[in-house]
Amino acid sequence: MQGQSQQQAYDRGITIFSPDGRLYQVEYAREAVKRGTASIGIRADDGVVLAVDKRIRSPLMERSSVEKLHKADDHIGIASAGHVADARQLIDFARRNAQVNQLRFGEPIGVETLTKDVTDHIQQYTQIGGARPFGVALIIGGIDADGEPRLFETDPSGTPYEWKALAVGADRGEVRDYLEEHYDEGIGLDEAVGLALSALGSVNDDALRPEAVGLATVGVDDREFGQLTDDEVEDYLVELDLLADEDAVEGDETTDDETTEE
């Protein structure tokens, strides 16, 4: 009975390590991330691309309410996968920190600095009793003051990772395999957009709808976060031969079990 009680303690408590040195609540949070639809980030020579799968559960749902791409600052964008409410809290935290840095130091915050601010905040929730980890992963991409594109991932454990290209959320393994096979050093921003869409298409039967895809870029030249319109996304899909047939659109809705995940 005592052994069972101890097992339940480290299984349920975030502040207690298991005998093999694991924090199970953090691992459960990673599973929540896997239930969210895919998000992709790609670093190019002249910018950063963020692409997300924005599946709409019902034709009655307002598309604008499905937010997976966020502007943290003029030069930084964020894509999320996992629990929507958790993502919103971290996005608000990132925006506040970016504004504080601008007011305090008179300059835009660095991409790595903002990422580590966010992951430090996430890590605190792995040491506090009575709280749970954030069930979301973020892709933070932007341009530093020296003009260098940077791309980071935040993990529910509070660890930051820097990437050339990555995916979080559902089908992460398959998308990452695709990126590893097709990513080239020195890729341009336009090519990176095509690669991101092709990677999304690789796990969606090579058929995508413009309204079900979110795309954003941050270019080195203007250092401005900007989202592509449906028409711009459609042009890319036509060029890549990834545009879904209208007949296939009927009844093609997501099967996510939780309405609080994206």
Side-chain angles (χ1 to χ4, degrees):
M1 180 66 70
Q2 183 178 1
Q4 183 179 2
S5 175
Q6 291 177 345
Q7 181 177 1
Q8 290 177 346
Y10 64 73
D11 182 58
R12 297 177 181 175
I14 187 58
T15 60
I16 303 175
F17 285 98
S18 71
D20 55 351
R22 298 158 65 186
L23 289 172
Y24 281 104
Q25 290 297 315
V26 170
E27 297 187 17
Y28 298 155
R30 292 193 181 113
E31 291 301 316
V33 173
K34 293 178 183 178
R35 291 174 59 85
T37 52
S39 294
I40 296 173
I42 298 176
R43 188 182 73 194
D45 268 5
D46 52 349
V48 171
V49 174
L50 300 175
V52 298
D53 186 346
K54 292 177 58 177
R55 301 180 196 174
I56 308 299
R57 297 180 180 84
S58 167
L60 300 177
M61 180 181 289
E62 284 286 353
R63 289 179 48 216
S64 60
S65 67
V66 182
E67 290 187 296
K68 291 199 62 178
L69 286 172
H70 312 265
K71 178 180 178 180
D73 204 346
D74 290 338
H75 63 299
I76 298 177
I78 299 178
S80 64
H83 281 278
V84 178
D86 288 8
R88 188 170 60 247
Q89 290 295 314
L90 292 180
I91 298 298
D92 288 345
F93 177 86
R95 287 171 174 166
R96 287 195 302 270
N97 276 40
Q99 293 170 4
V100 167
N101 189 90
Q102 181 68 53
L103 291 171
R104 182 174 296 167
F105 301 109
E107 62 182 19
I109 193 169
V111 183
E112 183 175 6
T113 301
L114 180 62
T115 301
K116 289 187 175 179
D117 285 347
V118 172
T119 52
D120 286 348
H121 181 65
I122 293 172
Q123 194 273 339
Q124 292 178 18
Y125 284 79
T126 68
Q127 292 185 294
I128 300 173
R132 64 163 176 79
F134 289 91
V136 65
L138 305 179
I139 300 176
I140 303 177
I143 311 298
D144 275 340
D146 60 1
E148 181 183 1
R150 306 292 295 275
L151 186 69
F152 291 89
E153 172 195 6
T154 73
D155 181 79
S157 67
T159 306
Y161 302 97
E162 185 167 12
W163 294 81
K164 299 175 183 177
L166 79 151
V168 295
D171 303 312
R172 170 178 178 160
E174 292 87 341
V175 176
R176 186 172 59 185
D177 290 344
Y178 186 93
L179 293 173
E180 289 176 352
E181 181 179 352
H182 294 88
Y183 180 85
D184 293 319
E185 296 285 352
I187 189 173
L189 193 61
D190 195 62
E191 297 172 289
V193 171
L195 176 58
L197 289 173
S198 297
L200 275 181
S202 69
V203 292
N204 285 280
D205 300 322
D206 292 325
L208 299 172
R209 291 175 288 156
E211 64 273 14
V213 175
L215 266 174
T217 62
V218 187
V220 169
D221 292 337
D222 57 7
R223 299 182 73 239
E224 287 286 336
F225 173 86
Q227 293 196 48
L228 278 67
T229 65
D230 286 351
D231 289 340
E232 291 172 324
V233 173
E234 184 172 357
D235 289 341
Y236 276 104
L237 294 179
V238 171
E239 182 180 347
L240 297 167
D241 195 25
L242 291 173
L243 187 63
D245 295 333
E246 289 296 327
D247 294 340
V249 172
E250 295 281 341
D252 182 21
E253 304 296 344
T254 184
T255 57
D256 285 353
D257 294 330
E258 297 290 339
T259 58
T260 58
E261 296 174 355
E262 65 174 20

